[in-house]
Amino acid sequence: MSALHQLRIADWLKTTPTGQTITVSGWVRTKRGNKDIAFVALSDGSTINTLQIVAELVNFDEEIIKKIQTGCSLRVTGALVASQGAGQTVDLQAQKIEILGEADAEKFPLQKKKHTLEFLREIAHLRPRTNTFGAILRIRHALAFAIHKYFNDHHFYYIHAPIITGSDAEGAGEMFRVSTIDPQNPPKTGNGEIDYSQDFFGKSANLTVSGQLESELAAMALSRVYTFGPTFRAENSNTARHLAEFWMIEPEMAFFELTDNMDLAEDFLQYLIKYAMEHCADDLVFLEKRLIEEESQLKKEDRNPMPLLEKLKFVSETAFERITYTEAVAILEKSGRKFEFPVKWGIDLQSEHERYLVEKHFKKPVILTNYPKDIKAFYMKLDEDGKTVRAMDVLFPGIGEIIGGSQREEDYEKLSKRIDEMGIHRESLWWYLETRQYGTVPHSGFGLGFERLVLFVTGMGNIRDVIPFPRTPKNLEF
Ligand code: ATP
Ligand code: MN
């Protein structure tokens, strides 16, 4: 049978065993046994659970049995039978064992003992073979799939925004330069600066920090669109919530005002959480147990107030609190808390403020709206008071900001004025401005950081552990 149609361990574990002959392939997690029999736990990544292979030693060459070690890969044919032992429902009574790739268990970096997440980051090429990362990668996949499904079901079109950009006006963060100029011998202009007109694109180019401006262009024709692609920020913030390369989901909708935008964000997030609970139950149960074990070392006040699954259920069923920035500042001022960054109207809220609102005050997700215009991007729609803009940030427990979005300024004159006020080079945005000259409409959108979502759903603490190969300052192995 073509490998394409072969059933996986996840499928066999759900099958009623009748002694049928099956073949499975995978990697050995553990081997134990005695002089007569060997029990091998085999994983093929299709589930957190392993298939128990039972090999009666008399039936096999001694050499083969010796080579079965943690980390090696096997193809096994045998009879699927009801298990005699506790802990699994079926066993595979091995008739034929083929060693595909040997591994010396003594040297294999993944030992049976528990490894720290920090150590596993150093062996990112092998960490998918651990239970924890297997679970995370399956959940990450399920969420990515659910994102496309949600948008498809709601009549959004998937737009591929470019990754290389010539505009540096988005202002979302520091950018990475893209260039083919010879660093030893760069062409110079008359005043000694590097002459990017001689570079590959004939101008200076960067990796994108957001696909928003391009998706706005598409929304002005297709009404509802979204991007889901890599974004890059060269900010030197070594936090547990920031990556230099991360994935962002950016829906953009014509005819949506701020409230519609909030309704979408809330419905979307709740759908994604429910989808994961429904489709990744085994993995979530595993991660919940792992977390409880890990947190048992901590003081009570440092632990999560709810076990993972309870938290997911709660957030997926509870209406998000919606308040304005101005109301939030009043709450923070009245809180009597001594924050590291003192609060006053006009400041950009720090993670400590966001988390106070979500975790201590409201004890549920919060959507903060109508921020001061000076701390937000140029394209956000100005409120009637002229001081605030129609921004919305969605704040999650344990995470802080998970979504940042806004209603966009659709008025040509007002947008033009903001661009000038903020000292942005308007010539580089002529195409963006033109959409406000030809058939402009009210529209809105937001950016959801994919890894922050995966962080929330898996209950992991560090964003480096929810992306296969993290890119962070001074870290580019693998
Ligand atoms: P923060 O204040 O947390 O640094 P931001 O306000 O700079 O985020 P936005 O420009 O609003 O972020 O981006 C939209 C979303 O993308 C954020 O809400 C967050 O979920 C995610 N995000 C932003 N920067 C990063 C990053 N460096 N790594 C991972 N996710 C990020
Ligand atoms: Mn933001």
Side-chain angles (χ1 to χ4, degrees):
M1 197 201 302
S2 161
L4 177 62
H5 303 297
Q6 223 135 53
L7 296 189
R8 309 153 313 145
I9 287 174
D11 307 313
W12 291 122
L13 291 177
K14 282 186 258 170
T15 306
T16 312
T18 59
Q20 62 269 57
T21 303
I22 68 165
T23 298
V24 293
S25 309
W27 293 266
V28 171
R29 285 296 173 79
T30 55
K31 180 173 97 174
R32 60 189 178 82
N34 54 38
K35 62 180 181 16
D36 300 321
I37 201 159
F39 298 100
V40 178
L42 196 73
S43 164
D44 67 359
S46 58
T47 155
I48 190 95
N49 301 307
T50 51
L51 177 62
Q52 174 158 280
I53 313 288
V54 182
E56 290 187 38
L57 303 194
V58 289
N59 299 334
F60 295 93
D61 203 37
E62 207 178 311
E63 274 308 295
I64 294 246
I65 299 294
K66 231 200 264 161
K67 283 181 183 163
I68 301 176
Q69 297 187 23
T70 298
C72 81
S73 47
L74 306 180
R75 181 179 294 129
V76 184
T77 301
L80 193 70
V81 298
S83 180
Q84 306 291 309
Q88 64 279 324
T89 53
V90 299
D91 283 345
L92 184 60
Q93 292 282 0
Q95 288 149 4
K96 189 177 153 212
I97 300 178
E98 198 185 329
I99 311 270
L100 299 176
E102 293 179 30
D104 181 345
E106 307 234 310
K107 290 199 192 128
F108 187 53
L110 288 173
Q111 296 293 323
K112 220 172 162 182
K113 73 172 174 91
K114 228 180 139 197
H115 295 294
T116 64
L117 295 169
E118 289 77 11
F119 171 71
L120 292 176
R121 273 174 225 148
E122 290 167 19
I123 52 164
H125 59 307
L126 294 173
R127 70 177 183 171
R129 296 201 203 176
T130 62
N131 282 331
T132 302
F133 285 89
I136 292 165
L137 292 177
R138 282 185 295 272
I139 293 168
R140 193 178 156 103
H141 163 80
L143 288 169
F145 182 78
I147 285 163
H148 288 299
K149 176 162 167 51
Y150 179 91
F151 284 132
N152 189 61
D153 290 349
H154 290 82
H155 316 295
F156 283 67
Y157 298 103
Y158 180 26
I159 300 296
H160 298 94
I163 289 169
I164 300 174
T165 170
S167 95
D168 56 2
E170 217 274 340
E174 293 297 310
M175 302 180 99
F176 289 103
R177 185 180 296 287
V178 177
S179 172
T180 55
I181 281 179
D182 177 3
Q184 304 294 338
N185 187 22
K188 298 272 179 69
T189 60
N191 53 22
E193 286 170 1
I194 294 181
D195 183 7
Y196 287 105
S197 72
Q198 293 189 49
D199 202 351
F200 188 90
F201 294 104
K203 64 198 276 195
S204 96
N206 295 291
L207 292 178
T208 187
V209 293
S210 158
Q212 180 200 319
L213 300 189
E214 288 87 358
S215 59
E216 276 190 59
L217 311 180
M220 292 302 111
L222 298 170
S223 293
R224 297 181 187 185
V225 302
Y226 70 105
T227 68
F228 184 175
T231 38
F232 306 87
R233 303 212 179 156
E235 48 201 359
N236 211 340
S237 44
N238 242 319
T239 78
R241 312 260 174 279
H242 290 90
L243 291 164
E245 176 181 294
F246 64 101
W247 289 68
M248 184 142 64
I249 299 102
E250 293 178 276
E252 191 68 37
M253 301 75 63
F255 321 114
F256 272 49
E257 307 210 358
L258 189 63
T259 312
D260 307 306
N261 204 17
M262 287 193 270
D263 293 344
L264 171 68
E266 184 169 333
D267 188 60
F268 179 50
L269 287 169
Q270 292 189 326
Y271 171 86
L272 296 175
I273 296 166
K274 284 183 194 143
Y275 186 94
M277 287 194 294
E278 193 179 324
H279 293 85
C280 308
D282 289 354
D283 289 325
L284 288 170
V285 167
F286 171 83
L287 290 174
E288 174 175 279
K289 278 201 202 119
R290 185 192 162 277
L291 204 62
I292 290 171
E293 207 174 288
E294 206 176 67
E295 290 189 342
S296 64
Q297 330 280 340
L298 301 178
K299 280 185 285 179
K300 189 141 190 286
E301 60 266 30
D302 294 332
R303 294 181 205 161
N304 279 296
M306 285 181 199
L308 181 60
L309 284 156
E310 191 184 326
K311 176 190 84 174
L312 296 178
K313 185 167 187 305
F314 174 77
V315 169
S316 74
E317 290 174 351
T318 308
F320 298 180
E321 188 71 34
R322 300 179 181 192
I323 60 163
T324 65
Y325 168 94
T326 303
E327 287 164 334
V329 166
I331 290 169
L332 292 167
E333 282 174 338
K334 268 190 267 163
S335 73
R337 284 247 165 171
K338 257 200 103 50
F339 294 109
E340 193 186 332
F341 294 89
V343 180
K344 94 171 199 277
W345 199 95
I347 64 151
D348 203 357
L349 297 182
Q350 302 293 321
S351 154
E352 56 172 337
H353 309 129
E354 297 176 342
R355 294 183 65 169
Y356 175 83
L357 292 168
V358 174
E359 290 159 29
K360 298 282 181 300
H361 190 84
F362 290 109
K363 298 190 164 58
K364 58 177 160 176
V366 175
I367 311 184
L368 280 188
T369 61
N370 309 86
Y371 283 73
K373 66 174 188 217
D374 294 334
I375 57 170
K376 289 292 183 186
F378 74 92
Y379 49 71
M380 297 192 181
K381 185 175 172 68
L382 205 59
D383 283 317
E384 285 75 33
D385 66 5
K387 284 193 246 161
T388 56
V389 287
R390 273 182 220 173
M392 55 163 233
D393 279 7
V394 181
L395 313 179
F396 258 29
I399 303 285
E401 180 186 328
I402 192 163
I403 279 181
S406 68
Q407 184 170 344
R408 320 306 189 189
E409 183 58 78
E410 84 267 26
D411 182 278
Y412 178 81
E413 296 302 331
K414 288 185 188 155
L415 182 62
S416 229
K417 192 159 155 262
R418 281 303 286 154
I419 287 178
D420 293 341
E421 274 172 11
M422 294 178 79
I424 295 167
H425 194 232
R426 63 185 296 123
E427 285 71 34
S428 66
L429 282 176
W430 63 272
W431 43 272
Y432 185 73
L433 278 160
E434 268 197 12
T435 57
R436 273 63 171 174
Q437 290 175 306
Y438 305 114
T440 192
V441 296
H443 64 289
S444 301
F446 60 78
L448 165 65
F450 186 49
E451 285 73 22
R452 297 218 184 148
L453 173 70
V454 183
L455 208 48
F456 179 75
V457 171
T458 58
M460 298 298 288
N462 193 311
I463 200 163
R464 291 164 180 78
D465 297 329
V466 298
I467 187 165
F469 303 103
R471 299 302 184 229
T472 50
K474 303 282 180 292
N475 174 23
L476 192 59
E477 197 67 45
F478 313 108

